[in-house]
Amino acid sequence: MLTRLKVNGFKNLIETDVRFGPFTCIAGANGVGKSNLFDAISFLSALSEKTLMEAALSVRDERGHTTDIRSLFHRVGNEYDLEMAFEAEMIVPRTGVDDLGQEAKASITFLKYNLVIAYKANGTRQSSSPLEIRREELAHITLGEARQHLSFPHKEEWRKSAIQGRRAGAFISTEEEGESRIIKLHRDQSSGRPVSRSAMNLPRTVLSTVNAAESPTALLAKREMQSWRLLQLEPSALRRPDEFTAPAHIETDGSHLAATLNRLARNGSFYANDEDESRIFGQIAGRLSELINDVREVSIDRDERRELLTVQVTGRDQTTHPARALSDGTLRFLALAVLELDPEVQGVLCLEEPENGIHPERIPAMLRLLQDIASDPDTPISPDNPLRQVIINTHSPAVVAQIPDDSLLVAEAKETLRSGQRFKRVVFSSMEDTWRTRSDNATNVVSRGTVLSYLNPVERLETELARNGSAELHSQRQTQPRRVIDRKEIQLAFSEMDAPQ
């Protein structure tokens, strides 16, 4: 679980400091940079398992394509920053396994990871990458400090179940030795010499190389970061049937929905327990009925001859529809409903514009589902309440209007002056009198006008036109087709709604 992220020098994230709760919604206009926060999270996740170059090339550019390395660094005019820095505070699982199946148990589960990456402008051909690690550190946050660092509302029972263990020293540290920088991996036990590596030409982070024997806590930090995923649920992937031998975990594009639902229904066993199977399918059908009324049953068609699994939905009229016949919005909602019931899904789930394909009247059902996927901070961590969180972004007024006010962050482009140069950076602001503004390092407070512009963008457009003169406003109305908002009965309805009761 990612509880706080600081970023500096990555795209237009300059001195960014964001605290997260179990559920966070980031609202902002197109192009302000709200997606760059997702890119920073994805970049850190990629760095936990890939080389520096592979991780950098996995980050998309403004057009959604694989980016070039230099564009990851903040730019003003033709000048690029030479460094980008990240600091992530996270709660990690208490146990896990490494790539060789060795079991690991964390010494402490509340950690802080620091990483500084530089661009070698005058690099040599001997170096395989223009990126260089300047600093890498993994330290712990003590149990006594935990309450101060966890600003979002939560019960003490939840905190004690999520944060366990104790530690005296760092797990990864960086030290200067003459003109060299040495990154040291320390063992969880106090005895034993640390493993030292020169930072000069490291192709990847030290964290990405750890195993259970060297540092089980660092391994579990790695596992946590690997679980930070940007879900881009593609209808084509969601519609595909799965072979009996397919992986039974939903991928970031929605692949293996059928195999995952089949695993949950059969409780991981080849032989299904009819009672468990009916319970799982019933829960999924009940959740899906919040989106569409015509749902009687959700099930898996098991084609024994072709060895294929297909998701299907049966309506109240007894008509069965396979996944290929379902709408895009229904499929995405169904995938999220499956994720909610899967106790193996942990970490951070990021989604862009989850309201796509959802009728405005059904957006509250989607938001309830997303909040239910996230860990309930009033209940101890357990298989029924796994350690996971959901972060979404949107520019929909229907979404902003429906979410809890303390879950909202508004992304705005702000002009900044640094070293005599003016540029725009993205700033994340929260509503006044919420847990973020009451924390020790309070975030910016979003203005009332900005919130109103999200909730009623049509009114904002009219106001802006009015400022430019009534003649222009009249001209706009004369030359454009009549809009729904211009109809007299609609205007009258709005007036009645605004009238004092």
Side-chain angles (χ1 to χ4, degrees), residues 74-77 415-424:
H74 176 248
R75 182 182 67 174
V76 179
E415 189 170 88
T416 303
L417 179 65
R418 185 181 68 179
S419 302
Q421 292 182 308
R422 292 187 180 276
F423 60 90
K424 287 189 175 181

Side-chain angles (χ1 to χ4, degrees), residues 151-172:
S151 304
F152 60 87
H154 64 276
K155 291 286 182 63
E156 184 179 4
E157 292 81 3
W158 181 90
R159 186 174 72 250
K160 287 183 175 180
S161 67
I163 303 174
Q164 299 179 9
R166 60 180 66 252
R167 172 71 175 178
F171 299 99
I172 300 176

Side-chain angles (χ1 to χ4, degrees), residues 114-146:
N114 288 295
L115 183 66
V116 179
I117 296 176
Y119 186 87
K120 296 183 289 188
N122 299 317
T124 63
R125 292 185 179 272
Q126 284 74 25
S127 175
S128 60
S129 169
L131 300 178
E132 178 184 353
I133 298 175
R134 289 284 173 86
R135 181 167 295 278
E136 184 178 8
E137 298 171 336
L138 181 66
H140 69 287
I141 298 172
T142 67
L143 299 180
E145 298 170 332

Side-chain angles (χ1 to χ4, degrees), residues 26 95 144 269 300 302 381:
I26 302 170
T95 60
S269 172
I300 293 290
R302 301 180 180 90
I381 299 300

Side-chain angles (χ1 to χ4, degrees), residues 42-58:
S42 298
F43 184 45
L44 281 173
S45 179
L47 286 168
S48 69
E49 58 185 350
K50 299 179 180 180
T51 67
L52 299 178
M53 282 293 291
E54 289 171 341
L57 290 172
S58 71

Side-chain angles (χ1 to χ4, degrees), residues 97-112:
V97 296
D98 65 12
D99 295 338
L100 298 176
Q102 300 178 94
E103 294 185 357
K105 183 176 182 180
S107 300
I108 189 167
T109 59
F110 203 4
L111 303 172
K112 179 190 296 185

Side-chain angles (χ1 to χ4, degrees), residues 181-193:
R181 288 182 306 279
I182 304 298
I183 300 178
K184 296 184 176 182
L185 175 64
H186 303 268
R187 299 184 183 276
D188 277 26
Q189 294 76 23
S190 57
S191 60
R193 297 180 60 184

Side-chain angles (χ1 to χ4, degrees), residues 223-236:
R223 287 285 184 256
E224 169 62 24
M225 292 171 66
Q226 287 175 326
S227 73
W228 299 351
R229 299 191 292 169
L230 174 60
L231 293 182
Q232 297 176 304
L233 301 175
E234 296 292 339
S236 59

